[in-house]
Amino acid sequence: MLETKRQKQDKPALGLVFFPAFDWKISETHPERQERLLYTRDQLEEEGLLDHPAIREYNPLVADWNDIACVHVGAPDLHHWVTEAHRVSAGGAIAAAKALMEGDVKRAFALVRPPGHHAMRMVHGIRGFCTINIEAVMLAYIRRHYPVGRVAFVDTDVHHGDGSQDMFYHDPDTLYISFHQDGRTLYPGTGFMDEFGGPQAVGANVNIPLPPGTGDKGLHRVLTELVKPILDDFKPDLIINSAGQDNHFSDPLANMNVTAKGYAELAHILQADIAVLEGGYSVKEALPYVNTGIVLSMAGLDYSQVIEPAFDSVKYAQTDDVTRYIESLIAQWKVQWAQRDQLKAKTLSRYGDIYKTEKRIYYDETGISELRHETVRLYPHQVGWRLIDSQSTAGPYGHQHVMGMFIPWQADEVCRQEAYDELWRRKKEGQAKRYVIADEGKGLSEEL
Amino acid sequence: MKIGIDVGGTFTDAVVLDKGHMRAFAKRRTTHGQIMDGLLAVLDAVCKDVPVEQIEKVTLSTTIVTNVVIEGKEEQTDLYVIPGPGRNVEEAFPVKPIQIPGYTDHQGRVVAYFNRKEVKALMKQEVQAGHRPAAVSAKFAIRNPSEEQALSDLAKQSGYRLVSEGTKLSGALHFPRRTVSAYFNSAVQTTFSDFVKGVQDALKARHIEAPLYMLKADGGSLPIGALTQMPVEAVFTGSAASVLGMKALGGMPTSMAVALDMGGTTTDISLWKEGQPIRARGGVTIRDYPSAVQSFQVESVGIGGESYVSLRKDGTWQVGPERRGPSMALGGESPTLGDALIVAGYADFGDKEWAWQGLTQLTVLMGTFSTNKQRVELGQAKGQKQAVITKQVDKDKVEQVAKAIIEAAVDTIQEGIRRAVTRENKRAVYTVQDIVEAHRFKPESLVGVGGTAGALAPLVAKAMHISVLTPKEAPVANAIGAALAKETVQVSLYCHTGKQELTVPELGLQESNVGIYSMAELLAKGQGYLQDLAKQMGIQENLIVEVVAKEDFPVLDGGYRECRIMNLHLQGKAGVDTYVRD
């Protein structure tokens, strides 16, 4: 039933939600400042791509508070952190998804800011330039309005999308694949192979940490030899690309050697249904060209002539060391991927009904430390609730203690009732300041 | 006194205006193929009683350029482009472009200079093939016109008769649009110049020494000398004349309004805000190629007083877009929307009997359809006259059919209005504020002009639950619009306060050490340039400066020093310089 809608004939190849948020900044000198997409706008407009017949431009929507509050819980609350800009950015992703799902376009690209892939379930502040996870808000919206089952994310930002990993870590129907510069050399320091998904979702989180200096060659190898086969095994209804652009050789915050054409090629190989912009801070040398490349590629147009002026094929060549490292990484991954079902069975049998874990999260933008105690309810044949008991210190609003109960989108009434019962029980213990239910399937949030 | 002449698709109109009073007007059939004949005929008709020495100004709105481009009769033109990296432009233009390697980036930095020697040799070869005009255009030449200028100079040196440059025609981002403008600008120049010469000779022969002006698609006028440099601007001026005519005839409401120009075949829809027509984004499309030529946003639907009426397969009425001839009330052979308006009592013209006859035919047709559930073709109405008259058809039923036909026409017009409004409301905006506090266009009133407006516009307004205004009909509104069009020019300024550089593409200007640090300072500078350009083009009036668009970005220099990038687009405000009273 999904296919019939999406097979409308004679529609533009690409729906483009271009929203540069020219009036939004974190601060005047922050990488996330007004001019970030200015030169991209100049390039797209000058190329004549915003009114090209293969491309239809859309304005973003403004995401409803419930669209956000059914996936995130804030401390002290969401209103202290989420601004109109975040609602518009998430609304931009939703607008792109709607254009695609209504069958108006063949594929969609939300070229929007502020970004979101470092934002986790609990929001105590801004981390890695992100406040809310715009892709997660979008996906919850898609799942509520359209019959979509399995979804795969491919995060092509240079930084590990630790926020997206957190959002989907316990969902076996949402595969999160990220390749990024190795966490031992770059923020946020996570994203290793052994982060393979929660007990009920082992195999649904795939991290591919690449060595600094990876170029087009290495990237495409990872894509064709590893990512594509994994996607083929997973058989998603929808592929979403978290399209960070900071693997570019000129990016000031990372150390990779990918080119604009390399990104266009990536988009071509991946054939994502929806792409959403994430990072990328070489605003003059990279973004105008990378975005032109991705837009051309997603619109099915010729991208072979996208060559950024700063490119130097000798200086930015991938070294043999890097090539060998990538080869062995791919080999290692193939082994781990083949073992995913055994690993899942083993893990589940180890934990029984309840899985508990403890985590510390740092919010770099505001210097806040969060301490989490997480509990996940495990069932033999369905996805269970996730409770996050979350405390933070050193923030502008003082000590925080909030309990967030996250009900999975697949939940039935039994699971939902158990989630409520558990949070009521916790409330009786009375340690936290707030007790909040976030219910993705119903698109609601409730304070107990 | 001012003379306005509008060469339209069907009629050529002329008017003589004396400070807002209409002294004379005339209407003649447009003489296709020989535009000048019809033009001279109306000119002579209106000038009969006007002392020639009192004529201050003659303004023309003609289809001369439009016809050349629509019929594909433009002159063969060599198109040189410096596209740099990016989109493949091989198929983007009306002719295959000659692509020159080289690149200026989005900051106006020349990354790679084009090879002068090679290009010179290439041009020499091309020129030998024939005495053609050329057009040149470079990506991001609006940020630094030097490479495009160099290419143009080289083309002139190589012997090209004339060369158009993209940036001289538009200072806005959009390399393909500027290129299309440049191409057509060169390609229509010969026809245009010949035509202008013809008009000038004719004026001279009649001892009219007043300066000749011509209307542009953007609703402004220019002295003919200036327009000869940019003839492409004179394409599709019909809707500009019509919109200006509405304005000149007064009383465009200041609320958000929909204006309908209702003719015989089509209704042109324009949207108005604060008494000003809304402009189209980007520019007009010339033979499927989007150009940078500015215009008002006009949406056309195929409904007019002479729209042909037929019965669809599903038993509903099809009104327009076909026109088979005049209404039966005016001696036509098949029933039209106009006939339905007469029968329903909304209009009163021609021979009412014939209107009733036509609608009775349609009623019988409908009756046959209802019983047989089969579609019946309506024959030649006149041939069937006898048969119908012998049949007694209930008058109420005929009126009902007329009303159903009118309803279908109103629906189609409303559909067009919805399309226009939706397009306006989907205009891309790039700030959080513009999304959160969206300024949506919502029509609050309706203005109808043209032959069918008196009868039909109130019905459209009623269906939309808004008020309606049908200004007293002037038979030559478009000519009035042309006569009173204000003179306009445009300049675009791009300033980087860190580098202290300023670019004004329309003037081919790039300055350094400009001493500009704020938008206020840039605005002052821009106003000066606009007046300079106006003078250069021979404009005598003082322009009212309008800020079409401005952007002011705080940016970081390489050394993390805060500075600004500012974009400013100014024009002399388009419109009319006086209003016409009865």
Side-chain angles (χ1 to χ4, degrees):
Chain A
M1 76 193 110
L2 183 65
E3 283 309 309
T4 52
K5 260 194 174 177
R6 286 172 55 188
Q7 272 167 3
K8 276 187 202 167
Q9 293 300 308
D10 295 333
K11 55 192 176 188
L14 178 65
L16 178 65
V17 181
F18 179 50
F19 187 68
F22 283 153
D23 55 352
W24 180 79
K25 61 174 190 289
I26 290 180
S27 77
E28 292 292 348
T29 53
H30 196 281
E32 276 295 351
R33 59 185 186 271
Q34 295 98 321
E35 75 173 302
R36 184 176 166 220
L37 290 176
L38 172 59
Y39 314 104
T40 292
R41 188 280 308 262
D42 287 356
Q43 192 79 33
L44 293 176
E45 189 102 39
E46 178 72 351
E47 297 284 353
L49 291 175
L50 296 177
D51 54 2
H52 191 284
I55 296 161
R56 183 182 292 167
E57 195 181 358
Y58 291 85
N59 275 329
L61 302 163
V62 184
D64 284 341
W65 277 105
N66 273 340
D67 291 337
I68 299 164
C70 73
V71 301
H72 285 296
V73 171
D77 56 39
L78 286 175
H79 287 267
H80 277 81
W81 296 108
V82 180
T83 64
E84 302 283 25
H86 300 111
R87 293 177 64 199
V88 174
S89 174
I94 290 174
K98 263 181 104 165
L100 175 85
M101 302 308 292
E102 293 296 329
D104 297 336
V105 293
K106 290 180 194 150
R107 306 165 73 196
F109 183 15
L111 186 36
V112 300
R113 55 187 286 268
H117 80 148
H118 294 301
M120 302 186 169
R121 289 282 173 185
M122 301 299 302
V123 178
H124 287 257
I126 310 172
R127 50 190 313 281
F129 314 165
C130 304
T131 304
I132 57 169
N133 196 302
I134 60 174
E135 282 109 323
V137 172
M138 172 186 82
L139 180 58
Y141 181 95
I142 293 176
R143 290 202 193 278
R144 277 199 307 284
H145 292 85
Y146 305 96
V148 168
R150 292 163 81 76
V151 174
F153 277 88
V154 180
D155 189 327
T156 56
D157 191 284
V158 77
H159 303 95
H160 175 233
D162 53 351
S164 296
Q165 171 167 312
D166 178 66
M167 298 302 293
F168 308 124
Y169 204 66
H170 297 282
D171 182 357
D173 297 313
T174 306
L175 170 65
Y176 177 72
I177 304 174
S178 172
F179 55 79
H180 44 262
Q181 187 174 322
D182 195 307
R184 289 168 294 185
T185 63
L186 191 69
Y187 179 87
T190 51
F192 299 101
M193 273 180 71
D194 60 348
E195 299 155 30
F196 199 26
Q200 52 193 354
V202 174
N205 197 81
V206 173
N207 286 320
I208 308 165
L210 298 172
T214 301
D216 292 358
K217 210 167 71 178
L219 198 67
H220 294 157
R221 222 157 148 187
V222 167
L223 214 57
T224 47
E225 292 178 25
L226 196 56
V227 175
K228 272 301 240 186
I230 289 177
L231 288 174
D232 289 345
D233 287 343
F234 185 77
K235 294 185 185 65
D237 297 330
L238 210 59
I239 298 176
I240 300 168
N241 177 204
S242 296
Q245 307 182 348
D246 31 16
N247 283 293
H248 193 266
F249 63 81
S250 69
D251 197 89
L253 307 183
N255 317 87
M256 303 298 244
N257 282 347
V258 177
T259 68
K261 206 195 281 180
Y263 262 107
E265 190 89 34
L266 181 159
H268 179 69
I269 297 171
L270 201 55
Q271 289 294 313
D273 297 289
I274 306 172
V276 180
L277 176 68
E278 281 297 336
Y281 298 97
S282 172
V283 298
K284 286 179 195 162
E285 302 294 342
L287 264 57
Y289 306 101
V290 174
N291 281 311
T292 299
I294 294 177
V295 167
L296 286 172
S297 173
M298 287 189 81
L301 301 169
D302 176 13
Y303 56 80
S304 64
Q305 293 171 38
V306 181
I307 302 159
E308 58 280 71
F311 182 62
D312 179 336
S313 62
V314 178
K315 192 172 162 194
Y316 299 115
Q318 182 176 300
T319 62
D320 292 344
D321 283 0
V322 169
T323 306
R324 275 193 298 275
Y325 184 98
I326 292 174
E327 275 168 11
S328 84
L329 180 68
I330 292 173
Q332 252 178 292
W333 247 118
K334 281 186 171 160
V335 174
Q336 178 165 316
W337 180 248
Q339 293 170 344
R340 64 193 182 279
D341 291 337
Q342 292 150 267
L343 274 170
K344 184 173 181 178
K346 222 167 103 185
T347 313
L348 273 176
S349 68
R350 178 155 19 120
Y351 291 112
D353 286 352
I354 292 289
Y355 167 76
K356 283 189 173 179
T357 184
E358 191 183 304
K359 244 188 230 167
R360 276 183 191 280
I361 315 287
Y362 184 62
Y363 293 74
D364 49 281
E365 207 61 50
T366 18
I368 299 169
S369 287
E370 180 196 356
L371 173 66
R372 288 181 177 184
H373 292 94
E374 295 198 27
T375 311
V376 179
R377 173 74 166 92
L378 305 177
Y379 298 99
H381 299 296
Q382 64 170 318
V383 184
W385 48 257
R386 174 183 182 192
L387 178 80
I388 303 179
D389 178 356
S390 167
Q391 301 189 54
S392 71
T393 52
Y397 307 111
H399 175 257
Q400 301 296 328
H401 190 177
V402 176
M403 274 195 208
M405 171 58 87
F406 298 90
I407 299 179
W409 66 274
Q410 303 96 328
D412 60 12
E413 283 313 310
V414 178
C415 170
R416 185 167 277 117
Q417 193 53 53
E418 276 196 35
Y420 271 86
D421 292 347
E422 175 65 15
L423 198 63
W424 278 116
R425 195 180 68 73
R426 296 289 187 117
K427 195 180 176 179
K428 274 192 198 117
E429 288 173 6
Q431 286 164 349
K433 288 182 195 163
R434 292 176 66 223
Y435 298 83
V436 186
I437 298 258
D439 190 340
E440 270 186 53
K442 297 231 151 134
L444 292 172
S445 142
E446 199 180 335
E447 185 118 14
L448 299 190
Chain B
M1 273 185 279
K2 289 175 179 167
I3 294 183
I5 302 173
D6 173 59
V7 183
T10 319
F11 291 107
T12 298
D13 298 346
V15 65
V16 177
L17 293 170
D18 186 1
K19 294 192 179 64
H21 293 283
M22 196 153 55
R23 282 279 293 266
F25 73 89
K27 197 182 251 311
R28 297 286 185 274
R29 287 250 163 221
T30 296
T31 44
H32 291 284
Q34 292 293 325
I35 282 184
M36 196 67 87
D37 295 349
L39 201 152
L40 293 179
V42 279
L43 184 65
D44 289 339
V46 290
C47 285
K48 239 179 1 208
D49 305 317
V50 176
V52 287
E53 63 279 5
Q54 286 185 19
I55 299 170
E56 311 150 55
K57 184 177 177 184
V58 177
T59 310
L60 264 181
S61 159
T62 105
T63 50
I64 187 83
V65 174
T66 311
N67 290 345
V68 171
V69 298
I70 284 181
E71 291 164 17
K73 287 186 178 157
E74 72 264 18
E75 197 174 355
Q76 200 189 344
T77 298
D78 289 345
L79 177 61
Y80 291 89
V81 297
I82 309 178
R87 171 186 171 186
N88 183 339
V89 292
E90 192 76 12
E91 307 291 333
F93 313 119
V95 288
K96 211 174 146 133
I98 301 164
Q99 301 198 35
I100 310 290
Y103 188 44
T104 301
D105 76 2
H106 54 85
Q107 297 270 282
R109 185 169 52 110
V110 181
V111 178
Y113 290 89
F114 75 84
N115 187 322
R116 269 65 175 167
K117 236 188 205 161
E118 277 177 20
V119 172
K120 206 169 175 177
L122 180 73
M123 283 179 166
K124 276 237 166 81
Q125 232 174 341
E126 294 288 340
V127 169
Q128 272 172 3
H131 200 53
R132 292 189 293 260
V136 300
S137 179
K139 192 179 284 175
F140 283 118
I142 50 149
R143 293 289 156 81
N144 179 355
S146 62
E147 286 291 278
E148 186 180 277
Q149 191 58 53
L151 191 59
S152 172
D153 292 345
L154 213 52
K156 281 175 204 151
Q157 285 164 23
S158 307
Y160 277 105
R161 184 158 48 85
L162 66 95
V163 185
S164 298
E165 295 148 34
T167 46
K168 292 283 161 60
L169 296 163
S170 163
L173 288 164
H174 209 301
F175 164 63
R177 281 187 188 274
R178 292 196 309 271
T179 309
V180 168
S181 279
Y183 165 78
F184 279 113
N185 197 59
S186 281
V188 302
Q189 200 131 23
T190 306
T191 318
F192 186 79
S193 299
D194 290 351
F195 173 75
V196 168
K197 180 147 191 322
V199 177
Q200 281 170 332
D201 288 349
L203 291 176
K204 215 171 183 182
R206 286 158 182 79
H207 306 291
I208 298 173
E209 280 169 13
L212 178 61
Y213 281 70
M214 209 175 269
L215 193 67
K216 296 183 291 173
D218 70 356
S221 69
L222 274 187
I224 202 68
L227 200 58
T228 314
Q229 304 300 308
M230 44 175 83
V232 70
E233 296 288 329
V235 79
F236 302 128
T237 54
S239 55
S242 148
V243 165
L244 290 174
M246 283 187 223
K247 199 153 167 66
L249 291 167
M252 282 312 289
T254 52
S255 59
M256 287 187 269
V258 177
L260 306 178
D261 184 354
M262 306 176 119
T265 322
T266 56
T267 293
D268 285 346
I269 302 163
S270 54
L271 304 182
W272 295 63
K273 231 183 205 168
E274 287 156 18
Q276 295 289 339
I278 289 176
R279 304 191 153 271
R281 183 186 162 182
V284 302
T285 296
I286 305 174
R287 230 175 47 221
D288 293 338
Y289 296 98
S291 79
V293 175
Q294 300 292 298
S295 73
F296 299 120
Q297 183 77 54
V298 175
E299 174 101 24
S300 283
V301 292
I303 297 278
E306 296 182 346
S307 289
Y308 173 70
V309 179
S310 61
L311 195 60
R312 284 202 198 94
K313 274 184 186 146
D314 63 356
T316 58
W317 295 107
Q318 167 84 37
V319 187
E322 196 185 348
R323 173 184 177 273
R324 289 198 172 173
S327 299
M328 286 181 72
L330 295 176
E333 302 198 330
S334 19
T336 66
L337 175 61
D339 293 321
L341 287 166
I342 292 171
V343 168
Y346 295 117
D348 185 8
F349 63 86
D351 186 342
K352 282 190 176 181
E353 274 305 304
W354 277 106
W356 274 94
Q357 194 63 250
L359 266 292
T360 308
Q361 294 260 343
L362 292 173
T363 312
V364 172
L365 200 66
M366 182 60 135
T368 321
F369 174 85
S370 312
T371 41
N372 299 342
K373 293 286 170 214
Q374 254 178 9
R375 191 159 179 249
V376 200
E377 270 301 324
L378 183 62
Q380 288 294 300
K382 276 184 180 166
Q384 291 184 355
K385 186 173 149 198
Q386 293 301 82
V388 174
I389 270 177
T390 55
K391 257 189 191 168
Q392 275 305 315
V393 181
D394 191 355
K395 249 190 135 181
D396 288 351
K397 269 195 180 151
V398 180
E399 273 175 11
Q400 267 171 28
V401 165
K403 281 188 175 146
I405 290 166
I406 293 164
E407 207 171 294
V410 169
D411 277 353
T412 307
I413 293 171
Q414 264 191 285
E415 195 55 47
I417 294 173
R418 262 196 292 276
R419 270 201 306 276
V421 170
T422 305
R423 174 181 303 160
E424 173 57 21
N425 285 332
K426 279 190 174 167
R427 231 172 242 256
V429 292
Y430 294 153
T431 60
V432 175
Q433 194 182 354
D434 283 338
I435 292 289
V436 175
E437 300 162 17
H439 296 284
R440 294 187 70 76
F441 187 92
K442 193 172 176 294
E444 290 160 354
S445 59
L446 188 137
V447 179
V449 300
T452 320
L456 203 51
L459 301 174
V460 178
K462 196 176 161 198
M464 294 173 68
H465 308 288
I466 55 177
S467 63
V468 64
L469 217 102
T470 46
K472 214 173 202 178
E473 182 56 18
V476 289
N478 287 18
I480 292 175
L484 298 178
K486 278 188 189 168
E487 299 163 6
T488 58
V489 283
Q490 308 199 348
V491 288
S492 312
L493 293 93
Y494 172 79
C495 181
H496 193 296
T497 66
K499 297 181 192 159
Q500 279 301 302
E501 279 176 3
L502 171 68
T503 312
V504 189
E506 292 92 338
L507 295 167
L509 199 118
Q510 208 177 22
E511 280 183 35
S512 35
N513 303 320
V514 283
I516 291 173
Y517 298 92
S518 70
M519 186 49 92
E521 288 166 336
L522 186 66
L523 189 62
K525 189 97 173 169
Q527 284 173 333
Y529 280 132
L530 191 71
Q531 303 294 358
D532 287 354
L533 185 63
K535 232 177 259 159
Q536 210 176 303
M537 292 195 165
I539 291 176
Q540 277 142 23
E541 350 171 326
N542 273 329
L543 298 176
I544 301 171
V545 179
E546 182 183 15
V547 177
V548 180
K550 66 174 176 187
E551 290 178 335
D552 185 358
F553 290 97
V555 299
L556 293 185
D557 234 357
Y560 280 76
R561 188 163 52 106
E562 284 174 40
C563 55
R564 312 194 81 83
I565 286 180
M566 295 182 285
N567 281 303
L568 182 62
H569 182 188
L570 299 177
Q571 71 166 10
K573 197 171 186 172
V576 292
D577 47 22
T578 165
Y579 292 97
V580 175
R581 297 170 287 271
D582 292 314

